[in-house]
Amino acid sequence: MNNVLDGITVLDFGRYVAGPFCAAMLADFGARVIRVEKVGGGEDRWVVPVAEGGEGALFLQVNRNKEGMTLNPSKPDGRDVLARLIAKADIVVANLPPPALAALGLDYKSLRAVKHDIVLTMVTAFGQGGSLSNKPGFDGIGQAMSGAIHLAGTPEQPARSLVPYVDFCTASLCAFGTLAALMARDKSGQGQVVEASLLLSGLSIANYALVEQAATGINRTALGNRGFASAPNDLFRTCDGWVVVQSVGDSMFARWCEMTGNEALADDPRFADDVSRAAHGEFISDLMAAWSHNRSTVEVLDALAAARIPSGPVYSPEQVLHDSHIADLGYLKPLNYPGLESPAPVADTPVKLSATPGVIRARAPKLGEHTNSILAELGYDKAEIEKLRRAGVV
């Protein structure tokens, strides 16, 4: 069966995570994605370098399945190349502030003048309509301004996640919105703008806490790794590592009491429900910590599994790569890349379709790897391509 997005062409002007990973997921499902990069290479190409040429780990992940070309659209001849690209495209992905989009000719008005049914998928840091709309920003903005960082760590030291979950959430929402826009285009024949932002994604993720605050005025402060809504819900040290335990509901708590030898607590009115158990969460966490610290991680996890209490090991990246269950899933696909000593374990398409699954077919492109072939498709001959190179257009 054909790929879902066969015949769809995407121009990826995205940088870092939100735009590029959106485009990568579209590529996984069959879209032809052309990453259009600055002539000297985008800054995101070199973040956390792992390859001999300086290409970064994040770049290898979020730019798989793409062709790569360089282009300076600010030059007159570059504008001509851009117009030819747009005329053959279905989707443009760009995570730039609106003034930058307009300066590059990537705003919706400019795109639509070339291709009336084009879809523009744009990502900003702060969203449109407020006083901060045109400011740039990164993943931490969504974490910080949504309240998430305030609720993590401790009151004395808030903590942000160094794993950019807001970026990846935004990318996923962009891919979802882009597919919806393609469905709408099939019905109406018209394109449209798909907008997402890091701040709005962060607010969506943390919305439950905002609802609780508005409804109760509770003014929560951070509890370290302890959960707000039940107990035991925390990280616990074992004699050789750490585990996460998340118990929710009366039956799980009763089984936890039996497992740890604290049967009397199951009938104690202080622990009558999740709310009251969370209110005494420090006491419950102390009991669990005392029970687990002399046991191995395997012993603790086996006991929790027998008691049917959700739990898991706290892994380092090295341990993730050697976990037998993760290996059996076959989810981390080994991709070779020039200058990399061994294949990179790139995560597969994060959503599975039983009949038309996404597939990683190719590694991320080298800088300008496909520039010549793409320009040739656009009608440029060898002499014209060489002229563009000498002029610094590509």
Side-chain angles (χ1 to χ4, degrees):
M1 185 175 292
N2 292 337
N3 294 308
V4 175
L5 295 178
D6 277 348
I8 296 295
T9 297
V10 180
L11 302 180
D12 176 15
F13 291 88
R15 296 295 179 263
Y16 296 102
V17 180
F21 191 57
C22 165
M25 287 189 285
L26 300 177
D28 289 355
F29 286 103
R32 181 191 186 189
V33 177
I34 299 172
R35 174 182 163 88
V36 185
E37 202 167 351
K38 293 196 297 187
V39 172
E43 296 86 350
D44 58 330
R45 178 177 280 272
W46 321 113
V47 177
V48 191
V50 294
E52 188 176 62
E55 289 87 355
L58 191 64
F59 178 84
L60 299 188
Q61 176 193 3
V62 303
N63 289 289
R64 77 288 187 102
N65 284 343
K66 299 179 186 179
E67 300 170 47
M69 71 173 293
T70 57
L71 178 66
N72 183 350
S74 66
K75 292 180 176 286
D77 288 342
R79 287 293 177 124
D80 179 67
V81 175
L82 179 62
R84 294 196 200 188
L85 285 168
I86 293 167
K88 292 181 175 294
D90 299 281
I91 300 162
V92 170
V93 175
N95 49 328
L96 295 167
L101 288 179
L104 293 172
L106 295 174
D107 57 294
Y108 186 58
K109 181 179 179 181
S110 298
L111 294 174
R112 198 168 185 275
V114 179
K115 185 83 179 299
H116 80 278
D117 63 349
I118 201 157
V119 171
L120 170 62
T121 298
M122 56 181 290
V123 184
T124 63
F126 294 91
Q128 296 299 296
S131 61
L132 304 177
S133 294
N134 293 332
K135 284 187 62 178
F138 287 116
D139 172 272
I141 299 299
Q143 292 191 39
M145 291 183 65
S146 68
I149 288 180
H150 172 81
L151 295 175
T154 67
E156 296 75 27
Q157 182 62 67
R160 71 183 176 104
S161 171
L162 294 180
V163 176
Y165 65 85
V166 171
D167 266 332
F168 280 94
C169 173
T170 305
S172 300
L173 293 172
C174 283
F176 165 76
T178 302
L179 293 177
L182 288 179
M183 293 177 68
R185 189 181 73 167
D186 287 343
K187 297 176 181 178
S188 69
Q190 298 297 315
Q192 60 182 296
V193 179
V194 177
E195 296 185 35
S197 80
L198 304 179
L199 178 56
L200 298 189
S201 294
L203 291 171
S204 180
I205 296 167
N207 191 212
Y208 82 93
L210 309 181
V211 171
E212 182 192 42
Q213 178 63 31
T216 68
I218 195 169
N219 291 320
R220 288 199 183 277
T221 55
L223 299 175
N225 292 307
R226 205 164 76 241
F228 293 110
S230 66
N233 190 342
D234 208 340
L235 302 187
F236 300 99
R237 185 186 289 277
T238 67
C239 68
D240 59 357
W242 289 82
V243 299
V244 59
V245 178
Q246 293 183 281
S247 172
V248 179
D250 297 344
S251 58
M252 278 190 198
F253 181 68
R255 296 196 297 273
W256 175 83
C257 291
E258 182 179 357
M259 181 191 78
T260 57
N262 292 291
E263 290 88 343
L265 297 184
D267 297 319
D268 190 317
R270 292 177 299 168
F271 313 113
D273 54 29
D274 280 330
V275 172
S276 57
R277 288 190 285 270
H280 295 87
E282 185 174 5
F283 175 79
I284 294 174
S285 282
D286 287 345
L287 292 177
M288 180 66 192
W291 181 86
S292 66
H293 86 281
N294 285 326
R295 292 173 166 85
S296 71
T297 297
V298 170
E299 289 174 318
V300 171
L301 292 175
D302 284 348
L304 288 162
R308 305 191 310 284
I309 298 170
S311 61
V314 177
Y315 278 161
S316 69
E318 175 72 10
Q319 289 172 310
V320 174
L321 294 175
H322 290 92
D323 178 82
S324 60
H325 173 74
I326 293 173
D328 289 343
L329 294 175
Y331 183 64
L332 299 176
K333 303 296 185 184
L335 282 187
N336 289 306
Y337 192 87
L340 205 60
E341 291 186 2
S342 59
V346 174
D348 205 348
T349 312
V351 59
K352 300 293 185 183
L353 274 65
S354 62
T356 55
V359 178
I360 295 182
R361 299 175 298 279
R363 60 165 173 79
K366 294 286 288 181
L367 179 60
E369 183 172 350
H370 304 96
T371 299
N372 284 6
S373 59
I374 294 168
L375 290 175
E377 285 183 46
L378 296 176
Y380 293 92
D381 61 29
K382 289 183 179 180
E384 290 172 322
I385 293 172
E386 182 56 33
K387 181 181 177 182
L388 291 173
R389 287 191 177 280
R390 288 197 302 270
V393 174
V394 297

